């Protein structure tokens, strides 16, 4: 299932869809299938234009980010924290060591801030090697260096090192939480990722307090043209498409009980 989902996303992400549509149109042209070629070339051009030169990605990320509102103040107390992986450039850290963070770095920056504010709260870090090759260290391994570098005792960490997907994050963390006697933890992950994560937690019977971070939009984006930042637009669109597909597939497969989990 893991390999299938990875291969599916290679094909299903917007730029890949545009490429394959154009490839099919070229093949149709060689076979003199003009109508087929025109349909697929038009489809490829449309997907490419929407992905690169519109605000569609940010527009469809916003409802995901807004689903679970950010708290205005810190809680009075924190019993524990769950931090979902995906914030380290593990291909780089495996080869070079050290700490190399990616765009989701806020997950661990926020966890570090809270760890210092609530020094008695254990921190469960969930994240193994999510690559197809399986040759890289996971986020949980890199997280040990990260927290240690900022003076957080290793004894506070509970590391879940085998998960490759969000579903596995939840399933593999459940036993660790039960063994350690931890419940009602803050769930720290990217805001756009929170609905799917909370849906999985609820299905697994794990009570959490959503603590969204790593916002990618202003919350005020309107659907329209944007020729100023095609690379960012493509990234935002890919993130939005992946997350909405994830919500739909998890609901269809029974891994969550709601298509769009809410507070």
């Amino acid at each position: 299932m893991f390999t299938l989902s990875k291969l599916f996303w290679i094909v299903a992400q917007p730029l890949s869809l545009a490429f394959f549509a154009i490839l099919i149109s070229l093949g149709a042209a060689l076979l003199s299938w003009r109508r087929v070629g025109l349909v697929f070339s038009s489809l490829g051009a449309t997907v490419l234009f929407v992905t690169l030169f519109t605000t569609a990605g940010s527009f469809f990320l916003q409802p995901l980010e807004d689903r679970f509102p950010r708290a205005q103040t810190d809680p009075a107390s924190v019993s524990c924290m769950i931090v979902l992986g995906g914030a380290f450039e593990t291909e780089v850290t495996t080869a070079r060591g050290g700490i190399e963070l990616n765009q989701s770095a806020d997950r661990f920056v926020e966890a570090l801030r809270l760890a210092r504010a609530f020094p008695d709260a254990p921190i469960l870090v969930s994240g193994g090697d999510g690559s197809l090759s399986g040759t890289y260290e996971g986020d949980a391994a890199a997280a040990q260096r990260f927290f240690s570098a900022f003076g957080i005792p290793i004894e506070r960490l509970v590391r879940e090192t085998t998960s490759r997907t969000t579903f596995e994050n939840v399933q593999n963390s459940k036993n660790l939480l039960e063994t350690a006697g931890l419940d009602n933890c803050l769930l720290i992950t990217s805001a756009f990722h929170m609905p799917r994560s909370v849906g999985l937690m609820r299905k697994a019977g794990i009570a959490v307090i959503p603590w969204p971070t790593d916002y990618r939009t202003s919350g005020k984006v309107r659907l329209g043209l944007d020729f100023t930042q095609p690379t960012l637009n493509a990234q935002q669109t890919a993130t939005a498409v992946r997350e909405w597909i994830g919500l739909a597939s998890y609901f269809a497969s029974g891994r969550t009980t709601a298509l769009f989990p809410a507070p």
Side-chain angles (χ1 to χ4, degrees), residues 17-33:
L17 287 177
F19 170 77
F20 287 117
I22 293 171
L23 192 65
I24 292 172
S25 72
L26 291 174
L30 291 174
L31 295 172
S32 299
W33 296 346

Side-chain angles (χ1 to χ4, degrees), residues 85-254:
F88 291 94
E89 292 289 353
T90 53
E91 181 178 356
V92 177
T93 60
T94 302
R96 298 179 180 273
I99 302 167
E100 300 296 335
L101 294 162
N102 60 30
Q103 193 175 1
S104 298
D106 283 0
R107 300 184 188 186
F108 282 86
V109 173
E110 180 66 1
L112 175 62
R113 185 187 72 81
L114 291 168
R116 301 181 75 169
F118 301 94
D120 296 326
I123 308 160
L124 189 154
V125 180
S126 178
D129 180 9
S131 69
L132 277 173
S133 65
T135 57
Y136 307 130
E137 68 174 6
D139 276 48
Q144 181 170 320
R145 295 195 298 274
F146 174 81
F147 285 110
S148 295
F150 291 95
I152 304 300
I154 296 176
E155 293 75 21
R156 290 181 62 185
L157 298 183
V158 179
R159 297 189 302 136
E160 187 284 297
T161 61
T162 60
S163 60
R164 301 166 297 176
T165 65
T166 306
F167 176 73
E168 291 181 359
N169 282 145
V170 174
Q171 295 300 310
N172 296 347
S173 295
K174 184 176 182 178
N175 290 335
L176 291 176
L177 291 168
E178 292 174 348
T179 300
L182 303 176
D183 60 4
N184 289 311
C185 299
L186 294 185
L187 176 61
I188 304 172
T189 190
S190 301
F192 68 82
H193 189 235
M194 189 62 75
R196 185 155 56 106
S197 302
V198 169
L200 289 168
M201 290 286 181
R202 288 174 178 167
K203 180 71 173 181
I206 303 172
V208 294
I209 302 168
W211 200 263
T213 187
D214 178 32
Y215 286 82
R216 308 288 176 91
T217 75
S218 66
K220 300 177 181 179
V221 178
R222 295 183 178 181
L223 194 60
L225 300 177
D226 180 10
F227 296 100
T228 64
Q229 46 188 4
T231 301
L232 177 60
N233 290 338
Q235 187 177 50
Q236 295 284 81
T237 304
T239 301
V241 169
R242 183 180 67 229
E243 203 58 34
W244 282 109
I245 288 176
L247 281 166
S249 64
Y250 278 11
F251 177 66
S253 63

Side-chain angles (χ1 to χ4, degrees), residues 39-96:
V39 168
F40 279 95
S41 62
S42 300
L43 176 63
T46 300
V47 172
L48 200 59
F49 182 83
V50 170
T51 300
L52 296 176
F53 302 120
T54 75
T55 61
S58 295
F59 182 80
F60 287 107
L61 270 181
Q62 285 181 156
L64 294 166
E65 293 189 331
D66 293 342
R67 195 64 163 172
F68 288 86
R70 169 185 268 168
Q72 297 302 306
T73 60
D74 284 349
S77 63
V78 174
S79 60
C80 53
M81 292 176 269
I82 302 171
V83 190
L84 299 188
F88 291 94
E89 292 289 353
T90 53
E91 181 178 356
V92 177
T93 60
T94 302
R96 298 179 180 273

